[in-house]
Structure formats: C-alpha cells, structure tokens
Amino acid sequence: MDKIYLNKYILSYSDILNILYYLEKTSNKKLIRENTNCYTTFNYKIETFKIGNGKNHVLLIGCTHGCEIITTYFVLEFIITLLKDEKLYNSLKNKFTFHFIPVLNPEGYVIVSSNLSCNYKNITNKKLEEISKKYISLYNTDDFIATHNIKEKKLFLGIIKNNLQNLSNISLRKSVECILKKCNLNEDYLSIWTANGLGVDINSNSIHKFKEMKQLRKAQKYANLRYNDIPVTKPSPMSYPGIKTFKDCPENFFLYNYIMNLYSLNCDEKLIAIFSYHSTGGEIYGYPDMLCTNASQLNLQLKGMLEYSKYTNYKLINEKLKYGVMDYYRIKLNDVLTLTIELSRLNGNPIAPLSNIDTFNKEIIANKKAVIHTIENII
Ligand SMILES: [Zn+2]
C-alpha cells in the first residue's frame, strides 16, 4: 500500500485498455472483466472489472470528466495494488468485492488523451513536471485575470499543442469539431474537455435537481473563471447538462443501471460504498440533500466523510445546490456510503496535478489507504 506501482502518468485510452486486459490475463482470475455490453454514442465500450468474492460490494468510478485523467490513473493504481500486494489482497478478498469503472467517459478521455499522448508520449517524469509547473502557473494567472471579469485569450491554452487530427475516430472528431465551431472555440480547448463526444457533461446530466441545474446554467451562460469563454447552455466542452436526464448521455444511463443492479443484489450480498473520483481540489462531497435524507443515511455519510478525510486531510464540502450525478444516489440508496472525491489539491486539469510527482504519489497512496480504511470502518 505504501508504494506506487504505476509510474507512467500520460496514458492513451488504448494504453489504459491494454494495461487492464494484460492484468486480467495475468492475474490468475483475481481480476475479472465484467461484460456490461454498454456502448457510448461513438461506440466505445464502457469497461468494468471486479476483484474479490466478499459480500460487501464497493464501487470505484474514474473519469466522469474527460480531462480528469488522474482519476483513471488512481483507479488503475488501486487495481494494481490489490493484485500485487498479496497480504492486502488476502485480507480483503473474502470480505469485499471491488467493482471498477476506470473510465466512465471514454469519449472525453479519448478527446483529451489523444492529444496528450501525441505531445508527451515518451516524456520523462522530470520533463512532465517541468511542463506541468509552467502550465499551473499560467493557469493561475488566467484565473486571476478572469476574477476581474475580463475575457481574454487564456495563457494556459498555449502549453499543450492540440490538433483535431489526433482524434482517429472520424465521427467523434467531426462531432467535436462541430461543437467547437458552434461555441466559437478552437482546438486549444481539447485538453480541458470534460463532456462526452456530444458535448454533454455527465456530472451535470443529473437525475436529482436537473431542472434547477438547467436554470443555474441559464443564469451562468459561461463556465467559471479561466473557462469564462466556454458556453454552458449548449453542447460544449464542459458543464452543459443536456436536454434531459440520460438524453445524449448513455454513460449516465449505463451508470444508473450498473449501480441499481449492485444495489439490488440479494441474500447477504450488499453494496456498501461508492467512490466517484474527480480532480482537482482535495475535497470530499458527501452531504446529502437534507430534505430527502433519513437520519441513518445522513449519519453514514458523515461517518464516511470523516473516515476518508482522516487519511487525506481533504476538506468536507457542503455545497448549496446538490445537482451532481452522485447526489441522486446519496439520497436514493439507503445504507450505501456515496462519496465524490476531488483528488489532488493542485488546480488545473489535465496535467497540473503532475507538477510535483512525488507529492502526487503521496496523495495517491493516501487515497488508497482512505478507501480501505473507510470501508473497513463502515461494515
Ligand atoms: Zn470533475
């Protein structure tokens, strides 16, 4: 648990799949690939895996937002740790079954990582740190300028060289090109793409408070801070919720069915916790909508948040409008701890968290421990 197994941080979508398939093949049936048979609009299969045979089921979700590549890295590192750390595996395998969705948003991941891979395919970690440092510094300057309500060309966009041609899936490329054009944005914005290939943000395409969220976006018109030139009321790189829940968002529909399936397991089997990963901020979102929550669920959420923060020191956030995709499950599922974790304290997707890899690794280790510690304490 105290070490990092995966020392490569810029991974293309096919790198991710190859690692997972290789692990499955060589794991002696410890890692099982599930067959969900669910596909995104542009035909990417949403892959899920599981480890363990315990009656307590736990779900880890990475990459709801395309540019949050470190969340997929974390899920992968977590899987590898369970497979390689014999002692840990043996202590957990009969108590828990871990389920993994390493990439909930394959299209978003492909849009961002195709360009990152072309830029930094064989980069050393030292060089990656240097570039990421520069990136975060410009990013912060952009934020500073944006707080004065100024819309000018963003400095951070010049660092990663993006090109639509790096997207090999032609229909996905055409869709993205069309969205950028209609938003009056250029290819530079590919590296901060959070939505799916149709420009719908999975997190905003929520079940809970969807109407309120649409109203909020209508009032906002554009995204926050350094993203103040990105529209949020039509298909765009980020924060557009779509026309209605599940529409143009098969990823969200898949997630709903996958979670409900785990929730309805019979006999002794029980879904006990869901951890949905985002970046960045070093925060924990777990306060449920008080109006729709019973006391025991609220207590579980509070306990889970406190346990998780013991290892990470992440801040507990009680946001006013609870519209995110996990907010529905926080109130709908009884006795299931449902947390949304913002990995990394460094702002600036996709690469800023990698500006100090040593610190990043320590945070990843802390989060691995936090998951294990939290689930051990809620059963
Ligand atoms: Zn996010």
Side-chain angles (χ1 to χ4, degrees), residues 65 68 278-279 342:
H65 285 146
E68 299 177 1
H278 286 249
S279 68
E342 293 277 355

Side-chain angles (χ1 to χ4, degrees), residues 185-221:
L185 300 170
N186 62 27
E187 290 165 315
D188 286 343
Y189 289 78
L190 293 174
S191 53
I192 48 155
W193 195 280
T194 63
N196 66 15
L198 291 173
V200 174
D201 185 317
I202 298 170
N203 191 49
S204 302
N205 186 258
S206 181
I207 306 171
H208 185 59
K209 302 265 178 192
F210 185 76
K211 249 178 108 186
E212 288 85 342
M213 123 80 36
K214 286 283 276 187
Q215 288 299 326
L216 177 76
R217 293 291 188 254
K218 224 170 147 184
Q220 285 176 318
K221 291 195 184 71

Side-chain angles (χ1 to χ4, degrees), residues 3 10 18 32 40 52 57 84 112-113 123 139 154 208 213 222 231 248 272 320 324 338 344 355 364 373:
K3 62 182 268 197
I10 303 293
N18 287 338
I32 309 282
T40 66
H57 293 252
K84 302 285 178 199
V112 177
S113 67
I123 197 170
Y139 209 86
K154 307 294 180 276
H208 185 59
M213 123 80 36
Y222 290 91
D248 290 342
I272 60 153
K320 223 156 115 200
T338 304
S344 169
S355 55
I364 292 293
H373 174 81

Side-chain angles (χ1 to χ4, degrees), residues 14 85 88 101 124 128-129 166 194 230 244 248 269 276 281 295 338 346 361 365-366 371:
S14 54
D85 188 334
L88 181 72
I101 307 174
T124 62
L128 179 61
E129 280 182 323
N166 290 335
T194 63
I230 301 180
K244 62 178 184 184
D248 290 342
E269 306 279 316
S276 172
T338 304
L346 293 177
N361 285 346
I365 291 168
V371 172

Side-chain angles (χ1 to χ4, degrees), residues 145-253:
I145 295 169
T147 48
H148 295 88
N149 259 332
I150 299 166
K151 281 193 194 187
E152 59 180 48
K153 191 170 164 26
K154 307 294 180 276
L155 302 167
F156 82 92
L157 293 171
I159 299 281
I160 302 167
K161 308 283 174 237
N162 289 305
N163 190 328
L164 272 165
Q165 298 309 314
N166 290 335
L167 290 180
S168 54
N169 181 325
I170 295 169
S171 32
L172 176 63
R173 188 200 303 160
K174 279 191 175 152
S175 176
V176 168
E177 192 174 7
C178 179
I179 292 165
L180 287 175
K181 209 170 163 187
K182 285 186 179 163
C183 290
N184 203 18
L185 300 170
N186 62 27
E187 290 165 315
D188 286 343
Y189 289 78
L190 293 174
S191 53
I192 48 155
W193 195 280
T194 63
N196 66 15
L198 291 173
V200 174
D201 185 317
I202 298 170
N203 191 49
S204 302
N205 186 258
S206 181
I207 306 171
H208 185 59
K209 302 265 178 192
F210 185 76
K211 249 178 108 186
E212 288 85 342
M213 123 80 36
K214 286 283 276 187
Q215 288 299 326
L216 177 76
R217 293 291 188 254
K218 224 170 147 184
Q220 285 176 318
K221 291 195 184 71
Y222 290 91
N224 290 329
L225 292 173
R226 76 228 73 119
Y227 305 132
N228 64 7
D229 45 3
I230 301 180
V232 296
T233 53
K234 55 182 168 184
S236 83
M238 65 175 60
S239 303
Y240 171 61
I243 292 164
K244 62 178 184 184
T245 305
F246 300 145
K247 174 105 173 89
D248 290 342
C249 199
E251 300 85 354
N252 197 14
F253 186 56

Side-chain angles (χ1 to χ4, degrees), residues 71-117:
T71 62
T72 293
Y73 169 86
F74 174 70
V75 176
L76 234 60
E77 171 64 22
F78 193 94
I79 291 174
I80 298 171
T81 306
L82 285 184
L83 296 177
K84 302 285 178 199
D85 188 334
E86 274 302 304
K87 213 175 133 198
L88 181 72
Y89 174 78
N90 287 328
S91 71
L92 300 172
K93 68 173 182 188
N94 294 323
K95 236 190 287 180
F96 300 102
T97 301
F98 292 92
H99 300 263
F100 304 98
I101 307 174
V103 186
L104 176 63
N105 179 7
E107 292 166 5
Y109 193 94
V110 166
I111 292 165
V112 177
S113 67
S114 302
N115 281 291
L116 281 181
S117 294

